Amino acid sequence: MTTLWIRHGTSLDGITRPHAHARPDTPLTARGAAQIAATAHALHDCGVWPAIVLTSPHPRAATSAEILAALLGVPLAAPSPLYAEWRAPDCVLGKGPDEYPSEYQTWRTDRLRDPDSALAGGESLSALHERAMAAATVPENPGEENTALIVSHRVLIGAVAAITAGASSPQDVFQAARRFTLAPAGIWPALAELR
């Protein structure tokens, strides 16, 4: 089964707080819905016919997935926490770098030395690594040449991309995921890479 990862469209936090850690419940915007519709049309124009759309439970991703499934006329699976964004600690949700509390700044400095550490509400680098490893393995159907679309978030998609490229430690996967770029409603791997 071929897997295409799609970042959700632009969310409200992406517009009002672009440098902040997005809150889990931030919704998709009208701009984001239009971006996802354009992605659906691009998939259709390239002859990509997915068998299913999988999604993160966060509203910005789940709504993006609903739009994709409806426009492409394919089934939508129940949302799964496997595809959720990396859980930033509660103390930084909706906050930008100039608002980070000292406890987060200290943890941020130390997290590469202790990848099992986490602050309240947050996910450790080790937990993200384990989840990304599981997310990178979509069950295959022997003898079928199907495509699964997975609607997720930049950091998780970046972690999967890092693992696919050979990164193996939680620290390396997280560092690569932080640097990973993918525009809202962007596709990884790019459709051009599939040809």
Side-chain angles (χ1 to χ4, degrees), residues 21 89-93 95-108 119:
H21 284 281
D90 292 341
C91 64
V92 295
L93 293 178
K95 296 179 181 176
D98 56 333
E99 302 169 295
Y100 293 162
S102 60
E103 67 178 321
Y104 177 75
Q105 292 174 357
T106 299
W107 174 77
R108 191 175 183 192
L119 292 178

Side-chain angles (χ1 to χ4, degrees), residues 17-195:
R17 309 272 312 175
H19 301 294
H21 284 281
R23 295 167 294 175
D25 61 349
T26 189
L28 187 69
T29 62
R31 179 194 310 173
Q35 291 165 334
I36 287 294
T39 297
H41 293 300
L43 290 166
H44 179 271
D45 292 347
C46 289
V48 175
W49 299 106
I52 193 162
V53 177
L54 307 170
T55 185
S56 156
H58 298 310
R60 60 195 184 271
T63 303
S64 295
E66 289 169 7
I67 294 167
L68 279 169
L71 291 176
L72 295 171
V74 298
L76 174 64
S80 171
L82 182 64
Y83 307 119
E85 179 62 290
W86 174 68
R87 290 187 318 275
D90 292 341
C91 64
V92 295
L93 293 178
K95 296 179 181 176
D98 56 333
E99 302 169 295
Y100 293 162
S102 60
E103 67 178 321
Y104 177 75
Q105 292 174 357
T106 299
W107 174 77
R108 191 175 183 192
T109 301
D110 296 337
R111 66 187 172 194
L112 294 179
R113 285 192 295 273
D114 184 5
D116 294 328
S117 67
L119 292 178
E123 184 174 27
S124 72
L125 305 190
S126 294
L128 171 66
H129 178 254
E130 289 175 23
R131 191 161 58 84
M133 291 282 291
T137 309
V138 174
E140 294 189 23
N141 296 327
E144 294 185 24
E145 300 253 344
N146 290 326
T147 299
L149 301 182
I150 302 176
V151 181
S152 190
H153 309 267
R154 183 186 63 83
V155 173
L156 182 69
I157 298 170
V160 170
I163 290 165
T164 302
S168 59
S169 74
Q171 297 93 328
D172 290 344
V173 167
F174 183 73
Q175 291 291 77
R178 287 183 62 224
R179 292 187 301 269
F180 183 77
T181 58
L182 186 63
I187 302 169
W188 178 84
L191 290 176
E193 293 178 37
L194 298 178
R195 297 175 189 207

